[in-house]
Amino acid sequence: MPNRGNNKMQTLKVMVLAVTAGLIGGLLADRLSLDRPVLASESDKVITAQTFKLVDGKGSTRASISMSAGGQPALELFDTTQRVRVLFDMSAKGDPQLFLMDEDGTIRTEMGLGLESKGRPFLNLRDQDGNVFWSVVAKPRRSG
């Protein structure tokens, strides 16, 4: 015949151990450096990083703000399959440029200042092979 007193004592020990482990785990989890999102409080004025990523509900990156290999800032927007579809960055000289890509990653539209036009605004439309089929560049101002 089972001893009810021993079963109750054993159940109590297991419960105390489980609660204690939960409390200790909760306290330690807050102090461990895990790869998790950083939340800014209202008192924070500046958040500094080399890359910021915006993720959707599934954890997939949908946008990224980072520094390019050339040391210029860049903003990338990704589609649902993780392909870059929009890139806004700056040339090595600091001229802004915008690239729109199709689902294959081919640049289909590009516009900016200075990339091909020596500081003048330009717009290029490209076919699916990346060849320019239409282009416009602002004319230089005449001094007079």
Side-chain angles (χ1 to χ4, degrees), residues 68-128:
S68 69
Q72 296 290 348
L75 169 64
E76 294 175 299
L77 302 180
F78 299 84
D79 65 14
T80 56
T81 60
Q82 299 293 287
R83 291 180 294 226
V84 176
R85 299 298 296 269
V86 178
L87 170 63
F88 179 61
D89 68 0
M90 297 171 73
S91 70
K93 291 182 176 182
D95 295 319
Q97 46 198 15
L98 177 67
F99 302 92
L100 306 178
M101 279 73 85
D102 63 17
E103 61 187 12
D104 296 323
T106 303
I107 296 172
R108 299 297 299 272
T109 304
E110 61 184 323
M111 66 176 140
L113 297 175
L115 185 65
E116 296 175 357
S117 59
K118 299 182 181 171
R120 298 181 307 209
F122 72 93
L123 171 64
N124 292 331
L125 301 181
R126 297 176 178 268
D127 63 20
Q128 63 272 14

